[in-house]
Amino acid sequence: MSSQRATAFVPGHVTAFFSAHPADDPAVAGSRGAGVTLTDGVTVRVSAGDAERATGDAEGVTGDAERATGDGEGDTTIDGEFGSIGAVDDVLAELDATAADVAVETDLPIGAGFGVSGAAALGTALAANDAFDRGRSENDLVGIAHAAEVGRGTGLGDVVAQARGGVPIRLEPGAPGVGELDGIPGTARVEYVTFGELSTETVLGGDTAALSAAGEDALDRLRADPRLQTLTDAARGFARDADLLVPEIAEAIAAVESAGGEAAMAMLGRTVFAFGTGLSDAGYDPEGCRIDAAGARLVDEGDRR
Amino acid sequence: MSSQRATAFVPGHVTAFFSAHPADDPAVAGSRGAGVTLTDGVTVRVSAGDAERATGDAEGVTGDAERATGDGEGDTTIDGEFGSIGAVDDVLAELDATAADVAVETDLPIGAGFGVSGAAALGTALAANDAFDRGRSENDLVGIAHAAEVGRGTGLGDVVAQARGGVPIRLEPGAPGVGELDGIPGTARVEYVTFGELSTETVLGGDTAALSAAGEDALDRLRADPRLQTLTDAARGFARDADLLVPEIAEAIAAVESAGGEAAMAMLGRTVFAFGTGLSDAGYDPEGCRIDAAGARLVDEGDRR
């Protein structure tokens, strides 16, 4: 089932609350917490560089011949523009696939708390493993993407959550075989509005003691009552206690509540999310999607066998 | 997101090979091995019995008023016929939901190695938890269904595999928190042909020493090279070494191989499965589906919120 090109889809992930657990070993480092994976996500197309050049590439990823030749490295595009994502480069290096052309496409806002960097890393791991026939297992690939994301300081828990799908609870931090996950059963519409960026690196680089204490409290609440409403309740408490709530978000959460709904802030971004039609009911013009049941997966394009 | 009725879908699961690991504690008991989850599966609709009677029930599950009243127990139907599934009854008892009406629907053959009993138990756990608002976590519900299936002797590893989806490798036996899973990344068409039943209870009730030794060998092979082709290779070796291969299956596997494909026997049933178009190419008239990426999940009917 391998090929010289492959495509993976990875759901977006909004973190409701978390506690940071850094460690020297990136497989051990990570976060506890909970969040929601979204049917809005990231599609990653990987082609085995030179092998594709002869045939051309529908995604236009390999159009820039000058750039591609010489260094033996493939190109990365983000929504069609040449660019680079550190965690993606590290995943390709780990899989001995630096010749890959990688096309990352997403409708999600970048840097706004949707785990786009983790999704790009995980999608690259799944698609490159298939395109280059590396024969790694799912746990191996999730671990490689998790280590790359943690190593770049761009996230701690998105990758393992995005691999599982649904509404993941991160009971113990770390890569598969080290960390531990549970989930809240449920299917629902999810609405979100983004007001701009918030730097994950800055927050995670600062003193995370108070934040982590608030995250542990929120996790205890959710484990005692694993329901979607408890997730948003605990998330609001976390945002307050960790002093991360920004004015636009606080206002939106209040508006949703007075409209009879439930909303919370996505960590870490200037993003508010709600289940059902909470944000629409409050008069916002949100993006709408659903909880993603599947988690990260390879997808067939044209039913390739 | 709870309601008085809920629906869950659970993928079918064909086991390629396994080793049996019985234990007094059903959470610890289980099997090692690997298999394939299918987009052909089992849909379970649960309604909170009496609450539904007033409004009637589109599935016709609650039509039999006499049967339903008096004992306070709900009814179970299998493809529209009144019946009972031991593991389903045990799951309802564990969730204090014996008043539930349960409608199990599947296109899969029963008793032919597709894990229908495990799927019915897991789907009942997910749907009853939602319909009765029991607030259990995903791991709890998978554990309850696993214990019910193991307790009834109808399966050892289907439930945890069906909960994960994809192509699960069962590294360590047991319920979530005890067992350990990995997976083979991949997406493919799956074809299958069934020639009849094989009793799981009989095989698992007999001496499983030789079977388990063959299963451990097959698992070692797959862990060393987690690819779909290695799965079918190892499965054929297991069926031979465990002396489970039946003539029709051996014939079908040989026919697929001479047509250039790869097929294997589903454990435990008189069922052969192949990736891609292996069985069609060999002149059989198979059922066709795909690897199920998502695993067991609640599904919205009419986008209920």
Side-chain angles (χ1 to χ4, degrees):
Chain A
M1 308 292 146
S2 73
S3 66
Q4 292 185 302
R5 57 190 301 170
T7 303
F9 173 81
V10 182
H13 177 245
V14 288
T15 297
F17 57 81
F18 69 101
S19 56
H21 301 273
D24 294 339
D25 179 352
V28 173
S31 59
R32 287 199 184 91
V36 182
T37 65
L38 308 176
T39 52
D40 284 357
V42 176
T43 297
V44 181
R45 293 184 177 81
V46 169
S47 59
D50 301 326
E52 281 301 302
R53 288 215 160 48
T55 66
D57 185 308
E59 282 77 55
V61 180
T62 60
D64 190 342
E66 269 177 61
R67 192 190 182 99
T69 48
D71 63 359
E73 305 284 303
D75 301 317
T76 298
T77 60
I78 301 154
D79 291 331
E81 303 292 317
F82 284 105
S84 81
I85 300 172
V88 166
D89 297 340
D90 295 349
V91 165
L92 292 175
E94 180 64 30
L95 290 174
D96 186 22
T98 54
D101 290 316
V102 179
V104 176
E105 286 171 17
T106 184
D107 295 330
L108 292 170
I110 293 174
F114 292 92
V116 170
S117 59
L122 181 52
T124 299
L126 286 166
N129 177 70
D130 193 61
F132 288 80
D133 193 25
R134 293 295 185 246
R136 302 293 193 100
S137 76
E138 286 179 345
N139 289 0
D140 282 352
L141 295 168
V142 174
I144 287 167
H146 172 80
E149 172 86 331
V150 168
R152 292 284 180 161
T154 47
L156 286 169
D158 288 322
V159 169
V160 295
Q162 288 163 325
R164 180 183 175 106
V167 184
I169 305 173
R170 283 164 283 133
L171 301 175
E172 295 299 338
V178 178
E180 228 183 284
L181 295 170
D182 195 351
I184 302 174
T187 171
R189 172 181 169 86
V190 182
E191 294 186 339
Y192 59 88
V193 172
T194 294
F195 302 99
E197 302 198 4
L198 203 68
S199 165
T200 301
E201 292 86 337
T202 309
V203 176
L204 295 184
D207 174 13
T208 57
L211 178 153
S212 288
E216 296 286 353
D217 290 347
L219 183 58
D220 291 342
R221 284 186 60 192
L222 186 63
R223 293 189 70 169
D225 182 39
R227 289 178 164 90
L228 293 179
Q229 180 169 346
T230 308
L231 178 77
T232 47
D233 289 347
R236 287 192 300 271
F238 170 79
R240 273 189 301 270
D241 300 349
D243 196 24
L244 290 166
L245 208 53
V246 293
E248 321 88 293
I249 305 288
E251 193 181 309
I253 290 172
V256 171
E257 280 177 337
S258 36
E262 293 266 339
M265 177 178 173
M267 301 296 160
L268 293 159
R270 295 179 186 279
T271 296
V272 58
F273 70 95
F275 293 114
T277 54
L279 282 158
S280 303
D281 298 344
Y284 285 86
D285 180 24
E287 298 296 321
C289 60
R290 298 196 64 81
I291 293 170
D292 179 70
R297 61 235 184 223
L298 288 168
V299 293
D300 269 329
E301 294 192 299
D303 198 14
R304 170 173 49 71
R305 298 190 179 116
Chain B
M1 307 292 145
S2 73
S3 66
Q4 291 185 304
R5 58 190 302 170
T7 303
F9 173 81
V10 183
H13 178 245
V14 287
T15 296
F17 57 81
F18 69 99
S19 56
H21 301 273
D24 294 339
D25 179 351
V28 173
S31 60
R32 285 199 186 91
V36 182
T37 65
L38 308 176
T39 51
D40 285 357
V42 176
T43 298
V44 180
R45 293 184 176 81
V46 169
S47 59
D50 300 326
E52 281 302 302
R53 288 213 159 49
T55 65
D57 184 310
E59 283 76 56
V61 180
T62 61
D64 189 340
E66 272 178 60
R67 190 191 185 99
T69 48
D71 61 1
E73 305 284 302
D75 300 317
T76 297
T77 60
I78 302 157
D79 290 332
E81 303 292 316
F82 284 106
S84 81
I85 300 172
V88 166
D89 296 341
D90 295 350
V91 165
L92 291 176
E94 180 65 28
L95 290 175
D96 185 22
T98 54
D101 290 316
V102 179
V104 176
E105 286 171 16
T106 184
D107 296 330
L108 292 169
I110 293 173
F114 292 93
V116 170
S117 59
L122 180 53
T124 299
L126 287 166
N129 177 71
D130 193 62
F132 289 80
D133 193 23
R134 292 296 185 243
R136 302 293 194 104
S137 76
E138 285 179 345
N139 289 359
D140 282 351
L141 295 168
V142 174
I144 287 167
H146 172 80
E149 173 87 332
V150 168
R152 292 284 180 160
T154 47
L156 286 168
D158 287 324
V159 169
V160 294
Q162 288 163 324
R164 179 182 177 105
V167 184
I169 305 173
R170 295 178 327 269
L171 302 174
E172 297 298 338
V178 179
E180 228 183 283
L181 295 170
D182 196 352
I184 301 174
T187 170
R189 173 181 169 85
V190 183
E191 294 186 340
Y192 58 87
V193 173
T194 294
F195 302 100
E197 301 197 7
L198 202 70
S199 166
T200 302
E201 292 87 337
T202 308
V203 175
L204 295 184
D207 173 12
T208 57
L211 178 153
S212 288
E216 296 286 354
D217 291 347
L219 182 58
D220 291 342
R221 284 186 58 190
L222 186 63
R223 292 189 70 170
D225 182 40
R227 290 178 164 90
L228 294 179
Q229 179 169 348
T230 308
L231 178 77
T232 48
D233 288 347
R236 288 192 299 271
F238 170 78
R240 275 191 299 271
D241 300 349
D243 197 22
L244 289 166
L245 207 52
V246 295
E248 320 90 293
I249 306 290
E251 192 181 307
I253 290 173
V256 171
E257 279 176 336
S258 33
E262 294 265 338
M265 177 177 173
M267 301 297 161
L268 294 155
R270 294 181 186 278
T271 295
V272 58
F273 70 95
F275 293 113
T277 55
L279 282 158
S280 303
D281 298 345
Y284 286 85
D285 180 25
E287 299 296 322
C289 60
R290 300 196 62 82
I291 294 169
D292 179 70
R297 62 241 185 216
L298 289 167
V299 293
D300 268 329
E301 293 191 301
D303 199 14
R304 167 173 52 70
R305 296 181 185 124

